[in-house]
Amino acid sequence: MRRARKMKVAALVLAASTALAACASDEASSGSGGGGSEGGSDEPRIGLAFDTGGRGDRSFNDAAVAGLETAVEEHGGEFRDLSPNADASNRADLLTQLADEGYNPIIAVGFAYGEVIGDVVEQYPDTQFAIIDSSAEEVGAGNLTGLLFAEEQGSFLAGVAAALKSETDHIGFVGGVESPLIQKFEAGYVAGAQAVNPQITIDRQYISPAGDFSGFNAPDRGLLVAQGMYEAGADIVYHAAGGSGLGVFQAAAAAGKRAIGVDSDQFQTVDDPALQAVIMTSMLKRVDNAVSAYIDSYVDGSIEGGSDIVYDLEADGVGLSTSGGQIDDIQDQIDDYRQQIVDGEIEVPTTP
């Protein structure tokens, strides 16, 4: 049985707005092709298959772009990215297209690729693949690496911040799609809030049911769900809903309340100052670090295929943003809970 690895990575000081500004084309920094199954190319040709919502979601997908661009800036080469169709039924086709075009390595962004990637990697044994949020160990292919995160740990800190800042002892959680992955965000958030205030009221709702990925790209529905929570008395709502989070921020602004972003530092990625004002913090999921580190390992030939790399609090793979200064006054308390998790004194649940 292959072992899961926990990789310590230095947090990149990388504003997500940089990624947005650099998202003008499908390729960057053209160079020579990639290497064989173990990597070792100085100038790789990198393929990236987006999750639902694609480029410009100001959250999960754009975090992957940020990491990719960091790697290309360091190593040269070029990249191409593709987005799924409306019902996301062509995920396998995207990976196959990139492999047929000679891109290597290829990175699949999102757990939904876990349903198809096993068949694809088997067809291309000389191409290295990585998948974000799905386990490579479960597939068992030597040319696939899993890039996993302890979302529940970062979400625990988001719950701590929400409970410490709430003036109504009533907060909310909006999930994009009801799935085991997003339930990790919910579970950690609830546990963190209840660690501060066991009596706190926490509203929880998903935009779309399991198997329906539209909930990650429906700001209008995100707005309605969050609006209902604010009207019911919540004064802070945390979203784990990808592009739908924009609607949560809009609802917070309209209600004069606050919200917590996810994946990227969303204070930095929204364009509207009115929305910036309501973003108390964001739960950072350092997809940028994971992508750039994976490409580093491809270039230097050190990829250990068939294994998972876990990015947790100890590895600075998850955490809270401080842009805007709204949690500066509670940072010491947040740091204390963080250290308890790192030391193993608090074990954060992964299911609600």
Side-chain angles (χ1 to χ4, degrees), residues 317-340:
V318 293
L320 292 185
S321 66
T322 58
S323 298
Q326 293 194 43
I327 63 170
D328 288 354
D329 59 326
I330 58 170
Q331 194 60 57
D332 287 346
Q333 291 157 283
I334 292 170
D335 290 343
D336 179 62
Y337 278 105
R338 178 191 182 280
Q339 194 59 49
Q340 290 183 64

Side-chain angles (χ1 to χ4, degrees), residues 205-263:
Q205 188 172 338
Y206 288 84
I207 297 173
S208 63
D212 177 0
F213 297 102
S214 65
F216 288 134
N217 193 34
D220 55 337
R221 290 153 66 191
L223 185 152
L224 289 174
V225 172
Q227 184 179 58
M229 293 181 179
Y230 290 124
E231 290 176 351
D235 60 349
I236 299 170
V237 173
Y238 171 42
H239 88 85
S244 299
L246 178 63
V248 175
F249 300 149
Q250 291 168 339
K257 306 298 183 182
R258 288 185 284 188
I260 297 175
V262 77
D263 295 334

Side-chain angles (χ1 to χ4, degrees), residues 28-33 43-45 76-78:
S29 301
S30 60
S32 59
E43 293 191 341
R45 301 180 70 236
E78 63 182 79

Side-chain angles (χ1 to χ4, degrees), residues 101-125:
E101 292 177 359
Y103 288 93
N104 188 14
I106 295 170
I107 301 168
V109 183
F111 69 89
Y113 283 96
E115 299 177 0
V116 300
I117 200 165
D119 292 335
V120 176
V121 299
E122 185 178 355
Q123 297 173 41
Y124 299 93

Side-chain angles (χ1 to χ4, degrees), residues 1-44:
M1 181 174 180
R2 300 180 187 274
R3 61 189 177 91
R5 292 181 291 136
K6 182 189 293 184
M7 175 180 287
K8 283 197 174 184
V9 290
L12 299 176
V13 182
L14 185 66
S17 55
T18 302
L20 297 177
C23 290
S25 69
D26 281 349
E27 294 188 353
S29 301
S30 60
S32 59
S37 63
E38 296 302 322
S41 170
D42 290 334
E43 293 191 341

